[in-house]
Amino acid sequence: MNALAHGAQAFIGLFQKGGEQFVNNITGILPTLIVLMTAVNAVVKLIGEERVQKLAQSATKNFITRYTVFPLLSVFFLTNPMCYTFGKFLKEKYKPAFYDSAVSFVHPITGLFPHANAAELFVYMGIANGIRKLGFGLGDLAIRYFIVGIIVILIRGIVTEKITSIMISRKNIKHNSKNVKVTV
């Protein structure tokens, strides 16, 4: 009987912890995100959405800047998770690859710019503590982590763009083949 009572208590405890996390999100990150989204949208409105759109599209014409500079700027200025909203300035066919690049960069930027993803600083610090125990400098780690991150997001962006292109072309073939009438 005690085992059943303990099991029931653990079961409801899981939901209580989930509720606590939910309340923490409501009072923690959500207000920050809402204010940040409002500020970014206000700046875009002040500058003019068409101007921002033109600037973003000219900055992302080249695949190298599209999957290195653009994600870096979005993560640096808007931080995680708001950085993904920069994707709204891209053509639809580039959005999945941009997201892949940006989401892959929120960790490598942490060593040099902890504000960009403060919630994941513990991951970097865990690695940093191991490096420090080995007698190596953290500056070298941060720079290497950042450079490797840039290379990885470029590769991921290119690969995801190619995969997206293939999937879109397959969908168009299937979609178009349904509309074809065959007459004998």
Side-chain angles (χ1 to χ4, degrees):
M1 190 56 128
N2 283 340
L4 286 175
H6 181 61
Q9 187 175 0
F11 181 75
I12 196 67
L14 177 69
F15 292 98
Q16 288 171 333
K17 288 292 181 186
E20 288 174 22
Q21 185 60 44
F22 180 70
V23 169
N24 287 339
N25 284 341
I26 288 174
T27 60
I29 195 167
L30 286 179
T32 304
L33 284 175
I34 291 168
V35 170
L36 188 55
M37 286 171 62
T38 303
V40 168
N41 285 328
V43 169
V44 168
K45 293 290 182 190
L46 287 172
I47 294 171
E49 196 160 338
E50 189 174 298
R51 283 183 174 159
V52 174
Q53 188 80 24
K54 277 184 177 180
L55 177 66
Q57 287 183 351
S58 67
T60 59
K61 282 182 182 176
N62 180 317
F63 72 93
I64 293 173
T65 58
R66 183 169 49 244
Y67 303 123
T68 57
V69 175
F70 204 62
L72 181 140
L73 292 174
S74 71
V75 172
F76 181 81
F77 286 110
L78 297 182
T79 73
N80 186 28
M82 184 65 187
C83 59
Y84 312 121
T85 62
F86 257 38
K88 76 179 184 177
F89 300 114
L90 292 168
K91 293 179 180 177
E92 287 297 318
K93 64 183 181 179
Y94 300 135
K95 288 180 180 183
F98 166 75
Y99 174 79
D100 194 4
S101 292
V103 79
S104 299
F105 196 61
V106 295
H107 299 290
I109 198 171
T110 306
L112 292 176
F113 306 106
H115 77 281
N117 195 16
E120 293 294 329
L121 191 57
F122 71 93
V123 173
Y124 177 78
M125 293 310 296
I127 296 167
N129 283 334
I131 294 297
R132 199 176 315 154
K133 284 181 183 177
L134 293 173
F136 297 110
L138 294 184
D140 290 342
L141 172 66
I143 295 293
R144 287 185 174 118
Y145 204 45
F146 187 86
I147 291 170
V148 168
I150 293 290
I151 293 166
V152 167
I153 67 172
L154 176 61
I155 293 168
R156 288 183 68 121
I158 292 168
V159 169
T160 304
E161 183 179 313
K162 296 294 181 196
I163 291 169
T164 302
S165 177
I166 291 167
M167 292 176 72
I168 288 171
S169 68
R170 286 183 182 170
K171 182 178 178 184
N172 286 340
I173 290 170
K174 287 179 183 177
H175 180 69
N176 290 336
S177 67
K178 291 179 182 176
N179 295 330
V180 174
K181 292 181 181 180
V182 178
T183 56
V184 181

